[in-house]
Amino acid sequence: MSSVGLFVPLVAKPSQTKAISDFLNAGYTLVPSEPLTREWFAVKYEDSNPPTYALFDTFAAEEGRQAHLTGQIAKALMDNASVLLDVSPEIGHVNVLVSLVRPIKEGAPMAGVTKGLRVLFTAKLDKVDVVRDFLKSAIPLVEAEPETTYWYALEFPGTNTFGVIDFFPDDTGRGAHIAGKVAAALIGSAEELLTGAPELIKLDVIAAKV
């Protein structure tokens, strides 16, 4: 199972949206050269202004994350950042608390998913352990959602910020998840556990390797 990851939002220059999509698709072709990168997703935030993209990737251990940070994809991103992006990318280090990765048909395009969600939320300082345990215990609820193909519970180390990133075959699967028991449990506990409402962003998958 993956234990660490990276989440990197990319705020594109409005004139460079096609170029950054092409860049992310080109990055996908480099993923096989990084054998320690377990899962890799390139996404676009739906209805974002300014146009925002992101990379999310996971690793079994810190060794893989460091290899990725010094690898070809990261170098290409930094070399092209001033041309493609409005602001320098912020490299978000995350711990993967727990994940669900379902087997997919071999050769399925984009690892069998086209839609995703990125949800961030901040735990009250005295509720950090409770939120962490809640996320770790949510796997049975996720397993009961057949259209949730990949699900990752994340913690941003050194902060009281947590997140969930998940992916679905289509918008129907995503809608079922939003209306499902995991989301209901999180929203139902928000007032007690969180400093505010979770921030939810819908994602379009550009490329993925699992």
Side-chain angles (χ1 to χ4, degrees):
M1 189 182 81
S2 298
S3 67
V4 297
L6 294 166
F7 183 73
V8 186
L10 305 169
V11 180
K13 294 180 179 178
S15 62
Q16 297 295 319
T17 55
K18 183 181 184 303
I20 195 167
S21 292
D22 292 344
F23 171 83
L24 293 172
N25 277 302
Y28 167 78
T29 68
L30 299 176
V31 178
S33 69
E34 299 185 355
L36 298 181
T37 299
R38 292 178 58 90
E39 292 116 28
W40 184 93
F41 299 90
V43 300
K44 181 181 186 299
Y45 289 17
E46 292 187 10
D47 304 319
S48 59
N49 185 24
T52 303
Y53 299 74
L55 291 168
F56 172 61
D57 26 36
T58 71
F59 315 89
E62 184 62 33
E63 176 189 7
R65 181 159 64 182
Q66 291 304 315
H68 178 72
L69 287 169
T70 57
Q72 295 182 61
I73 298 173
K75 182 179 186 303
L77 175 61
M78 294 306 176
D79 288 347
N80 289 277
S82 63
V83 174
L84 298 176
L85 305 180
D86 248 354
V87 295
S88 297
E90 292 188 14
I91 310 299
H93 289 64
V94 296
N95 294 333
V96 180
L97 299 175
V98 66
S99 62
L100 172 69
V101 177
R102 296 188 193 272
I104 60 167
K105 184 178 179 180
E106 186 174 350
M110 295 198 301
V113 291
T114 66
K115 299 294 182 179
L117 291 170
R118 188 232 66 182
V119 186
L120 295 182
F121 41 95
T122 302
K124 294 178 179 178
L125 289 177
D126 61 339
K127 299 295 185 180
V128 168
D129 291 340
V130 179
V131 171
R132 187 184 297 117
D133 290 342
F134 166 81
L135 291 171
K136 289 181 177 180
S137 69
I139 282 290
L141 297 178
V142 181
E143 290 175 336
E145 298 178 354
E147 296 300 302
T148 301
T149 308
Y150 311 115
W151 185 88
Y152 303 87
L154 311 174
E155 181 174 5
F156 290 78
T159 76
N160 52 328
T161 300
F162 294 83
V164 171
I165 297 179
D166 35 20
F167 298 96
F168 315 89
D170 51 35
D171 204 38
T172 300
R174 180 168 65 184
H177 176 72
I178 291 173
K181 292 182 178 180
V182 180
L186 180 61
I187 297 300
S189 302
E191 186 174 350
E192 176 191 357
L193 301 180
L194 308 180
T195 61
E199 180 193 45
L200 183 150
I201 292 177
K202 293 182 176 181
L203 309 172
D204 288 326
V205 178
I206 295 174
K209 175 264 180 187
V210 174

